[in-house]
């Protein structure tokens, strides 16, 4: 089968959907209490609030599974967008400061307005947007090379990290509450909190896929894309906002999950190539599967103890990032 | 066809080209020549509306380019930059990008778009490379793929920034033949060329730029005979006839040589 053919892409998507469904089932079934499929189905059918299985599934496992699916898909698509828009295969929400920007604003609102739970998503979104625009602006001033963007990201992340630390020191209670958030984890996510963020995620995802062909043109370079009639500045700005909405929303309930936004677009490109029309949906699916898998590992590796999913992601992500750097040094990086 | 009136343009408030007045004629080849940094690329970018001029007016068949939307303008003017990132896509997909101004909201190519893309690929002799990745092509083949994209864009005016630079001599000559062939398709071609011999041999008009201003813009013979090329580049030049002496191949064998003063 030709790697770029429609049938190949359809086969990839179908396989990923099957893997995702398996992942969802395992995520609902496996945990400190193992619930077999038959029990899940009968508990959900009866809808009996007093049943242990029903309560575990509907109040713990389903929100957690949905959170993994949404966070993974949002962060991966945000990563794929940032890599395409900034023309930098090392860009990802955590690398270019989106995560720390969103995290800082989320910490800020928790510290000063603890009652405003719903505003966390909006705050995280604004934080992500500010960070991404800051990095973009600095990188543009210095020629927007790949290294300039990564370095600008490091600088902005450090600065925001210092501000986050300041808030945490001034408000020590927040520090205790936000450790899980800073590491990134999915335990304790509620449907209420998810529903708000999921609106942002679904909306941004749909718009991103609709505009994905325009994103393809950016790979030709700004001048060629402009001469083809694309409003480059506008489309780049729209995608930066979409990436910030995706990353900010995911971070608002999942915390600072590292590396998923960096790794998944690379795996997706390896599978389906550079056409964003297929790359974005595939990144969304792989991101969800990857996050579900990491969350499962986080739950079962040291059972009955649980470690935050962010730690597992960093364990897997950091070596992959180093692998990319070495590959890039040999001149083999994808672009 | 496309007319620049009193156009001044540049970057960061620094004027690079000054008070340019020029009318690029329909179905003609105009070469812009000049020393490094004299504003050739700036002139090309300004004329193709990629760079907004500080002052002056640019019109296409009397219509102000500022009144034309991006997409409509992309149906009239195409531009091939010298420096560009190489995308990781197939030749077919690259050439299909040329149809972007004609695609609807869903960005789905129609039958006509696909036919035009296939014709452009065939015209450039790239049929065997249609599913090959651009990254795998040689410099010359890559340039042909980009020209196929320009062909698919189907504009009357084509701007080319140093289309033969970095190519081997075989591909240089092949690309120049392709450009001459574009003229027979009633295209108006404006290109920046560093190779003065090619510029003088292939063009209907040659524009010589110095310090952002047009010094002379005339037929190649007139520009050569004016001696201004020698003054601007601080060189000597000679016209040489290569042939069997019968004069039958006079036009084809007229060459120009340049050497230091």
């Amino acid at each position: 089968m030709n790697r770029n053919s429609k049938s190949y892409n359809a086969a990839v998507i179908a396989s990923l959907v099957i893997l995702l469904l398996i992942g969802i089932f395992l995520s609902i079934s496996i945990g400190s209490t193992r619930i077999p499929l038959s029990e899940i189905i009968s508990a959900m059918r009866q809808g009996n609030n007093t049943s242990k299985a029903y309560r575990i599934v509907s109040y713990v496992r389903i929100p957690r599974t949905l959170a993994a699916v949404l966070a993974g898909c949002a962060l991966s698509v945000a990563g794929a967008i940032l890599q395409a828009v900034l023309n930098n295969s090392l860009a990802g929400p955590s690398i270019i400061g989106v995560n720390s920007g969103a995290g800082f604003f989320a910490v800020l609102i928790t510290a000063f307005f603890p009652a405003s739970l719903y505003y966390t998503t909006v705050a995280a979104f604004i934080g992500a947007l500010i960070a991404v625009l800051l990095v973009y602006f600095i990188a543009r001033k210095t020629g927007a090379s790949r290294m300039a963007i990564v370095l600008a990201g490091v600088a902005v992340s450090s600065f925001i990290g210092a501000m986050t630390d300041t808030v945490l020191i001034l408000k020590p209670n927040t520090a205790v509450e936000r450790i899980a958030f800073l590491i990134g984890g999915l335990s304790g996510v509620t449907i209420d909190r998810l529903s708000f963020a999921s609106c942002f995620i679904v909306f941004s995802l749909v718009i991103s896929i609709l505009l994905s062909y325009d994103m393809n043109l950016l790979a030709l370079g700004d001048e060629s894309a402009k001469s083809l009639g694309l409003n480059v500045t506008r489309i780049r700005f729209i995608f930066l906002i979409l990436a910030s909405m995706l990353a900010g929303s995911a971070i608002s309930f999942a915390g600072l999950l590292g590396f998923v936004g960096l790794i998944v677009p690379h795996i997706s490109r390896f599978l389906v190539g550079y056409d964003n029309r297929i790359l974005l949906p595939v990144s969304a699916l792989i991101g969800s599967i990857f996050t579900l898998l990491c969350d499962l590992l986080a739950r079962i590796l040291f059972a009955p103890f649980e470690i935050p999913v962010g730690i597992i992601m960093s364990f897997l992500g950091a070596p992959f990032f180093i692998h990319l750097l070495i590959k890039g040094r040999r001149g083999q990086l994808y672009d | 066809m496309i007319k620049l009136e009193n156009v001044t343009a540049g970057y960061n408030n620094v004027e690079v080209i000054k008070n340019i007045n020029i009318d690029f004629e329909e179905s003609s080849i105009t070469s812009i020549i000049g020393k490094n940094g004299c504003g050739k690329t700036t002139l090309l970018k300004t004329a193709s509306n990629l760079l907004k001029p500080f002052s002056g007016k640019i019109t296409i068949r009397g219509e102000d380019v500022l009144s034309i939307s991006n997409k409509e303008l992309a149906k009239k003017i195409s531009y091939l930059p010298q420096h560009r990132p190489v995308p990781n896509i197939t030749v077919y997909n690259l050439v299909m990008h040329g149809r972007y101004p004609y695609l609807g909201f869903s960005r789905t190519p129609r039958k006509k778009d696909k036919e035009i893309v296939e014709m452009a690929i065939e015209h450039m002799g790239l049929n065997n490379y249609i599913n090959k990745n651009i990254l795998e092509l040689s410099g010359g083949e890559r340039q042909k793929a980009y020209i196929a994209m320009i062909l698919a864009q189907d504009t009357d005016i084509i701007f080319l920034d140093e289309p033969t630079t970095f190519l081997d001599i075989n591909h240089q000559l092949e690309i120049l033949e392709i450009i001459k062939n574009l003229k027979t398709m009633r295209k108006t071609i404006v290109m920046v060329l560093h190779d003065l011999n090619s510029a003088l041999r292939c063009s209907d008009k040659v524009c010589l730029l110095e310090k952002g201003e047009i010094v002379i813009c005339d037929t190649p013979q007139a520009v050569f005979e004016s001696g201004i090329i020698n003054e601007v580049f601080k060189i000597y030049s000679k016209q040489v006839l290569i042939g069997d002496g019968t004069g039958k191949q006079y036009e084809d064998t007229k060459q120009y040589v340049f050497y230091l003063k």
Side-chain angles (χ1 to χ4, degrees):
Chain A
M1 211 183 303
N2 185 340
R3 211 167 152 261
N4 290 315
S5 69
K6 279 184 182 168
S7 49
Y8 172 82
N9 291 339
V12 169
I13 297 248
S15 314
L16 291 173
V17 168
I18 292 168
L19 278 175
L20 179 63
L21 291 175
I22 294 170
I24 289 173
F25 161 68
L26 290 175
S27 175
I28 292 175
S29 173
I30 295 173
S32 52
T33 310
R34 191 176 288 264
I35 309 169
L37 179 64
S38 55
E39 211 174 314
I40 296 171
I41 293 169
S42 67
M44 294 314 285
R45 257 196 198 154
Q46 287 162 7
N48 182 358
N49 214 5
T50 57
S51 135
K52 187 183 164 195
Y54 177 82
R55 276 184 291 159
I56 291 174
V57 169
S58 37
Y59 298 123
V60 181
R61 300 278 170 82
I62 288 181
R64 187 169 185 157
T65 305
L66 275 176
V69 169
L70 284 169
C73 124
L75 289 169
S76 305
V77 174
I81 289 172
L82 288 169
Q83 286 172 15
V85 166
L86 299 175
N87 201 15
N88 184 328
S89 56
L90 298 182
S94 58
I95 298 286
I96 64 154
V98 178
N99 283 9
S100 46
F104 171 62
F105 271 63
V107 166
L108 210 60
I109 204 150
T110 319
F112 295 104
F113 309 98
S116 316
L117 184 71
Y118 280 118
Y119 295 115
T120 315
T121 309
V122 181
F125 162 60
I126 293 169
L129 184 67
I130 290 172
V132 106
L133 292 177
L134 209 57
V135 170
Y136 182 62
F137 176 76
I138 295 168
R140 257 182 85 109
K141 283 272 169 196
T142 56
S145 73
R146 184 154 66 189
M147 197 47 80
I149 291 169
V150 173
L151 292 177
V154 169
V156 169
S157 292
S158 303
F159 186 74
I160 295 173
M163 292 202 290
T164 310
D165 289 341
T166 310
V167 175
L168 293 175
I169 287 166
L170 292 175
K171 296 271 178 181
N173 292 344
T174 318
V176 177
E177 286 165 22
R178 305 313 287 181
I179 282 177
F181 181 85
L182 293 172
I183 298 171
L186 298 167
S187 56
V189 173
T190 59
I191 284 283
D192 272 0
R193 200 156 180 196
L194 270 184
S195 57
F196 195 77
S198 63
C199 296
F200 275 106
I201 293 175
V202 172
F203 171 78
S204 313
L205 205 62
V206 170
I207 302 290
S208 304
I209 291 172
L210 281 176
L211 294 175
S212 55
Y213 187 81
D214 290 9
M215 203 154 77
N216 283 351
L217 260 64
L218 291 175
L220 297 176
D222 287 9
E223 285 172 356
S224 295
K226 268 185 202 169
S227 73
L228 286 166
L230 184 75
N231 189 330
V232 172
T233 315
R234 189 169 66 192
I235 206 80
R236 188 166 276 147
F237 190 70
I238 288 172
F239 273 111
L240 285 174
I241 290 178
L242 288 170
S244 308
M245 278 173 79
L246 286 164
S249 308
I251 290 162
S252 73
F253 63 82
L256 301 185
L257 296 179
F259 287 114
V260 62
L262 173 70
I263 305 171
V264 172
H266 282 276
I267 301 170
S268 309
R269 273 197 288 274
F270 179 74
L271 274 176
V272 293
Y274 280 70
D275 187 342
N276 290 302
R277 288 170 296 176
I278 182 79
L279 182 70
L280 293 191
V282 165
S283 291
L285 285 166
I286 296 181
S288 297
I289 296 165
F290 179 73
T291 312
L292 275 173
L293 179 79
C294 288
D295 188 45
L296 268 176
L297 286 174
R299 276 190 252 172
I300 60 175
L301 270 184
F302 301 100
F305 299 105
E306 213 178 83
I307 52 171
V309 65
I311 291 179
I312 299 282
M313 281 182 169
S314 294
F315 272 134
L316 294 175
F320 185 81
F321 190 69
I322 293 164
H323 164 71
L324 280 182
L325 284 174
I326 294 168
K327 239 181 146 183
R329 184 136 184 102
R330 287 194 204 131
Q332 295 169 349
L333 209 62
Y334 304 94
D335 59 351
Chain B
M1 183 72 185
I2 180 160
K3 196 172 177 185
L4 280 75
E5 293 169 81
N6 301 319
V7 170
T8 297
Y11 309 91
N12 302 323
N13 293 326
V14 178
E15 291 179 359
V16 179
I17 52 167
K18 293 156 215 156
N19 207 25
I20 300 287
N21 286 288
I22 193 168
D23 190 356
F24 299 114
E25 288 162 22
E26 202 159 344
S27 305
S28 70
I29 299 177
T30 307
S31 289
I32 299 166
I33 58 169
K35 285 162 74 176
N36 289 336
C38 70
K40 302 184 291 292
T41 299
T42 307
L43 173 57
L44 219 57
K45 281 186 191 171
T46 311
S48 54
N49 204 38
L50 290 176
L51 189 66
K52 297 273 176 282
F54 298 151
S55 59
K57 193 178 172 189
I58 303 164
T59 51
I60 300 173
R61 292 196 181 104
E63 195 179 359
D64 193 334
V65 289
L66 294 177
S67 67
I68 307 171
S69 72
N70 285 354
K71 276 206 166 181
E72 283 309 308
L73 196 64
K75 293 176 186 171
K76 299 175 194 289
I77 296 178
S78 51
Y79 173 78
L80 188 59
Q82 185 199 356
H83 300 290
R84 64 220 166 195
V86 185
N88 195 324
I89 53 173
T90 62
V91 168
Y92 184 84
N93 284 342
L94 176 80
V95 180
M96 184 55 88
H97 283 336
R99 297 304 296 163
Y100 179 76
Y102 303 90
L103 300 180
F105 179 72
S106 71
R107 310 286 191 254
T108 313
R110 297 155 301 160
K111 196 178 163 210
K112 189 187 166 198
D113 297 310
K114 290 177 185 169
E115 282 170 4
I116 289 172
V117 166
E118 281 158 19
M119 270 164 56
I121 290 172
E122 196 179 330
H123 194 86
M124 285 295 120
L126 291 169
N127 275 343
N128 292 334
Y129 301 96
I130 196 160
N131 288 318
K132 258 206 162 180
N133 194 304
I134 297 290
L135 292 169
E136 294 169 29
L137 302 185
S138 72
E141 287 158 352
R142 208 176 274 173
Q143 192 68 328
K144 284 203 269 180
Y146 276 100
I147 294 175
M149 182 180 86
I150 297 281
L151 272 183
Q153 198 176 337
D154 194 20
T155 60
D156 287 339
I157 305 157
I158 299 173
F159 290 103
L160 305 166
D161 195 358
E162 300 196 32
T164 57
T165 307
F166 305 127
L167 301 184
D168 61 50
I169 186 68
N170 181 286
H171 279 116
Q172 277 185 37
L173 295 171
E174 196 181 349
I175 295 293
L176 288 172
E177 281 308 309
I178 288 167
I179 291 168
K180 281 196 234 170
N181 190 252
L182 291 177
K183 186 186 145 186
T184 64
M185 297 161 79
R186 302 200 57 76
K187 307 281 186 193
T188 303
I189 298 132
V190 183
M191 59 182 167
V192 167
L193 275 185
H194 261 302
D195 181 3
L196 298 180
N197 180 41
S198 301
L200 291 165
R201 286 188 61 227
C202 301
S203 319
D204 298 302
K205 270 200 170 170
V206 172
C207 282
L208 177 57
L209 236 64
E210 193 187 23
K211 291 177 186 163
E213 288 177 77
I214 294 176
V215 188
I216 186 168
C217 190
D218 213 326
T219 60
Q221 195 62 30
V223 170
F224 179 77
E225 284 169 1
S226 72
I228 299 175
I229 290 180
N230 296 3
E231 282 171 32
V232 169
F233 287 93
K234 295 186 179 67
I235 50 166
Y236 289 123
S237 57
K238 222 169 209 176
Q239 202 171 41
V240 208
L241 300 179
I242 304 165
D244 56 6
T246 61
K248 281 180 189 169
Q249 294 178 314
Y250 180 82
E251 282 302 318
D252 290 335
T253 55
K254 198 193 293 178
Q255 299 280 340
Y256 300 85
V257 287
F258 305 91
Y259 46 99
L260 269 177
K261 274 186 177 174

